Amino acid sequence: AMHTTTGLVRLGLVVYFGCAGRRVGFGGVGSGHPRSKVGPRYIAEDSPRLWTPQPSSDRSRGRAMAPAPSKPTKPFHPTAPYYDQSTFTGRLRHMISMTDPRLLFTSKAELSRCSSLLAAHAAGDRRATAAELWRARTVLESCTHPTTGETIFPLFRMGAIAPMNIPIVAAMLQTPPTAVGATIFWHWFNQSYNTACNVANAGGEGSSKKELLVAYAIAVTASCSIAFAAGRVVASGANWAASLRPLIPFGSVAGANGANLFFSRSGELRNGTPVLDEDRQERGKSRIAGRLAVAQTALSRGCLVPAAAVLLPPASLWALSAAGILPPHPAAKQLALLSSIYLSVSAAVPAAIALFPQDMAFPAEDLEPEFQGLKRADGRPVRVLSANKGL
């Protein structure tokens, strides 16, 4: 059984990378956090997926496959977004580009080449094409830390989220709720991996080690406690309790996400989040904006992502079984489950993060009284203020 499961996981990963390589418009998790200028190269908030096939000589040197534009490439800009971030489609295409699993195989030599290419362009060298520059930006944004510029370990990059979740979600769905040890282990493992990804990809100044440890402890405690308590209810033998089994992984993960989010962003709920005017000048902190930012994040990443990851796969298998097209062989059923997990996670993460704009816009009259009647530097009234939603 162990050999069969290992073979199926490998087959599922082969299917995943094979399908991901054929995605149309891939140009994702990029994370939605702001990027900043680091050292001699520029790392910006948004980028395209513009892969072009590399010559065989490039492949032999270990370069990752590169994205190719299906239409003329727009002029390169070191910081401006490639896709329109005011539309859901633009945000989705950006997030899809950041979660492309092919970027997991980017070599250090390719990262160095991309960094040198952008540094040369910043210094005035205009020999590189726009497609090459956009591609270099995409590679660096996906594979390096937005603030320090350090290379992110491949398994913690945004492109690893979907393939890593295949065994994690499959284990959580198939572990009996009465198996306390296995249940706690997989929920601990899931929260540990999530924390590692968040730390590896976090922008800004980041949290202190103490805050990270507290947030991690809260997430693990909440996830394992909910899973354990729900498992005890199911094990009680009540007829109604058996129907709760498919909801245990979702409730555990969503509960942990909510607890972690409330702790890590409680300051925004109490004191508000910074808001900027049309000239990008900070005008104070708004509690109204802070509450909306936390609510949108809780809905997108706290609820929608775990719902798609752990509820859609069993629902898909049930639908296939009801339609009479689910293969009866256990190995075929396992492969169908792994494939449905891949499809759900790879679609849910980019779509959930892209659901709301990263920069929230508010008419001045919708915020607190202190933000009404403000004047810009040229004397015109401040009509719209914006705030970063965060992740």
Side-chain angles (χ1 to χ4, degrees), residues 57-269:
S57 60
D58 284 347
R59 290 196 197 100
S60 64
R61 289 195 293 268
R63 289 186 180 179
M65 293 298 290
S70 57
K71 59 183 180 180
T73 305
K74 66 187 296 184
F76 177 74
H77 193 282
T79 57
Y82 185 88
Y83 296 120
D84 183 4
Q85 297 301 287
S86 66
T87 66
F88 173 76
T89 302
R91 296 191 298 271
L92 179 62
R93 295 186 70 182
H94 168 62
M95 291 310 305
I96 287 175
S97 76
M98 297 296 290
T99 56
D100 189 335
R102 291 173 294 178
L103 290 171
L104 297 178
F105 306 104
T106 304
S107 65
K108 291 183 178 180
E110 176 67 358
L111 288 174
S112 177
R113 189 190 71 84
C114 291
S115 179
S116 299
L117 192 67
L118 292 182
H121 181 270
D125 188 341
R126 295 297 182 264
R127 289 176 294 178
T129 65
E132 291 175 328
L133 293 169
W134 284 119
R135 180 175 65 244
R137 245 186 70 180
T138 298
V139 171
L140 289 179
E141 289 178 358
S142 303
C143 302
T144 60
H145 191 277
T147 302
T148 66
E150 296 178 354
T151 301
I152 299 174
F153 184 66
L155 293 183
F156 298 151
R157 296 173 188 172
M158 300 301 290
I161 290 178
M164 283 295 294
N165 269 277
I166 292 176
I168 294 174
V169 175
M172 288 195 296
L173 289 175
Q174 298 180 106
T175 299
T178 53
V180 177
T183 297
I184 291 178
F185 169 79
W186 282 110
H187 283 279
W188 164 80
F189 187 86
N190 179 54
Q191 292 302 324
S192 299
Y193 179 70
N194 289 342
T195 300
C197 288
N198 290 337
V199 173
N201 292 276
E205 298 178 356
S207 302
S208 66
K209 291 183 178 180
K210 179 180 179 181
E211 292 173 330
L212 290 174
L213 287 175
V214 172
Y216 170 68
I218 289 175
V220 170
T221 302
S223 180
C224 295
S225 299
I226 295 174
F228 175 75
R232 294 295 298 270
V233 173
V234 173
S236 66
N239 293 331
W240 61 270
S243 60
L244 294 177
R245 179 173 176 177
L247 300 177
I248 292 178
F250 168 71
S252 303
V253 176
N257 290 346
N260 193 336
L261 181 66
F262 178 81
F263 170 79
S264 61
R265 300 182 63 175
S266 58
E268 295 179 53
L269 299 175

Side-chain angles (χ1 to χ4, degrees), residues 32-34 45 91 353 356-360 387-391:
H33 52 74
E45 179 179 355
R91 296 191 298 271
I353 297 178
F356 301 107
Q358 191 65 29
D359 283 325
M360 305 181 299
N388 190 287
K389 175 176 66 68
L391 288 178

Side-chain angles (χ1 to χ4, degrees), residues 67 70 96 111 115 206 267 299-300 308 343 355 372:
S70 57
I96 287 175
L111 288 174
S115 179
L299 175 60
S300 60
L343 292 172
L355 183 60
Q372 300 172 22

Side-chain angles (χ1 to χ4, degrees), residues 317-338:
L317 263 62
W318 177 86
L320 293 175
S321 179
I325 57 177
L326 182 65
H329 196 279
K333 291 182 179 179
Q334 186 75 0
L335 181 59
L337 175 63
L338 297 178

